[in-house]
Amino acid sequence: LEIGANHLGAVVVDLRGTTLAAREVRGDFTAPSPTAVLATAAELATAALTQAQLANPHLELLGATLAVPGIVRDGVILDAPRLGWIDVDAAAALAGLGGVTSVVIGNEASLAALAESHARTQSTFLYLSGGVGIGGAQVVEGTVVGGVHGFASELGHVVVDPAGPLCRCGATGCLEQYAGAQALARLEPAEVGRALGIALASTVNVIDVATLVLGGTLAPRLEEFLPTMQAELERRVLAYPWAPVTVEPALVRETPSLRGAALESVLAILADPERLILA
């Protein structure tokens, strides 16, 4: 499952990752009622599962994962600025969906990075997720690294200019204000590229990563941003002369967070197959 500011999505896959059914709804899913949005997401998931079961009546749902654009802990969406949600217990709201004991709640960028890590040869990279907002995730040897609390790589809220525009998070000058969907429609590519370069150079100086992967809305327009972005990286990354940074578009272009959510559930089953026998 995926909840975004302007869409809801549901996909059912088998243990090979083959898509059995998919549903999507477009609209405005920000603020007033998280409960209503979660109920709609559950209805969408149920419709997708019913569609899959029509082709295979013996199909059994083994796991479910929801991707959301915010910071998450123990099934609770602590803060999702683009949705306007704070302290929303999404896991409780979706409990019992499709007969599963619990629904895993994950960050959309981290799940998109998981999908990307299974599509490319590089096992270590920094992933930038573009959409209405901006998210990020660090992948090390094929594993998404979440930090001490699981909140790492909130790249959309790296400050590009402290005197810049107000962000929904409450701070000013966040990267999201220069590279989010509204900014892409308003700013010149060089302005976007400069902001990306400044934010990502700071990040590279801290974590020392060699490959930057731009996904979502940023991937198809990377060539427009790249010259200015690369110039900022060359100027600002301290170790650039000895360790140049490669910038690449994401390989997973279609619904990466939704694919990552499906993959998360599949990997959880494959990691502990005995529980299927015991069940």
Side-chain angles (χ1 to χ4, degrees):
L1 291 167
E2 180 179 12
I3 296 177
N6 58 9
H7 74 283
L8 301 178
V11 63
V12 180
V13 302
D14 63 17
L15 291 180
R16 295 184 179 89
T18 304
T19 298
L20 305 178
R23 294 290 182 94
E24 184 181 30
V25 174
R26 309 294 295 186
D28 182 4
F29 299 103
T30 58
S33 177
T35 301
V37 173
L38 286 164
T40 303
E43 291 171 4
L44 195 70
T46 301
L49 184 59
T50 300
Q51 178 186 343
Q53 288 173 328
L54 286 174
N56 184 352
H58 302 292
L59 197 68
E60 179 185 356
L61 186 62
L62 300 176
T65 301
L66 169 67
V68 293
I71 57 176
V72 176
R73 181 172 59 197
D74 299 329
V76 177
I77 303 169
L78 300 178
D79 189 10
R82 279 290 167 184
L83 294 178
W85 295 8
I86 295 177
D87 290 330
V88 176
D89 194 341
L94 297 172
L97 177 67
V100 296
T101 55
S102 63
V103 176
V104 175
I105 315 297
N107 174 267
E108 59 87 17
S110 295
L111 291 170
L114 177 65
E116 184 70 18
S117 72
H118 282 257
R120 60 174 47 241
T121 56
Q122 299 103 320
S123 59
T124 299
F125 57 91
L126 184 67
Y127 183 86
L128 193 68
S129 171
V132 174
I134 297 291
Q138 183 184 7
V139 179
V140 178
E141 297 298 329
T143 300
V144 178
V145 179
V148 174
H149 304 100
F151 306 153
S153 302
E154 283 290 341
L155 299 176
H157 302 287
V158 172
V159 176
V160 174
D161 178 7
L166 181 67
C167 181
R168 284 177 179 256
C169 73
T172 55
C174 295
L175 175 61
E176 188 170 291
Q177 299 304 306
Y178 300 88
Q182 293 180 348
L184 293 185
R186 184 182 75 251
L187 301 178
E188 294 296 325
E191 295 177 87
V192 178
R194 180 174 182 273
L196 287 168
I198 291 172
L200 291 173
S202 297
T203 307
V204 170
N205 280 332
V206 172
I207 67 173
D208 184 24
V209 66
T211 304
L212 304 175
V213 177
L214 272 60
T217 53
L218 297 173
R221 296 188 58 184
L222 178 57
E223 289 187 7
E224 301 175 48
F225 313 140
L226 190 56
T228 310
M229 180 182 172
Q230 197 74 58
E232 292 292 344
L233 290 168
E234 291 178 16
R235 185 158 71 98
R236 297 175 183 275
V237 174
L238 185 63
Y240 200 96
W242 305 277
V245 181
T246 301
V247 183
E248 301 177 1
L251 298 177
V252 180
R253 301 288 186 91
E254 296 294 326
T255 59
S257 300
L258 195 56
R259 291 192 183 195
L263 182 59
E264 171 82 11
S265 292
V266 169
L267 292 176
I269 296 296
L270 296 181
D272 185 19
E274 287 186 357
R275 69 186 174 99
L276 299 182
I277 300 172
L278 295 174

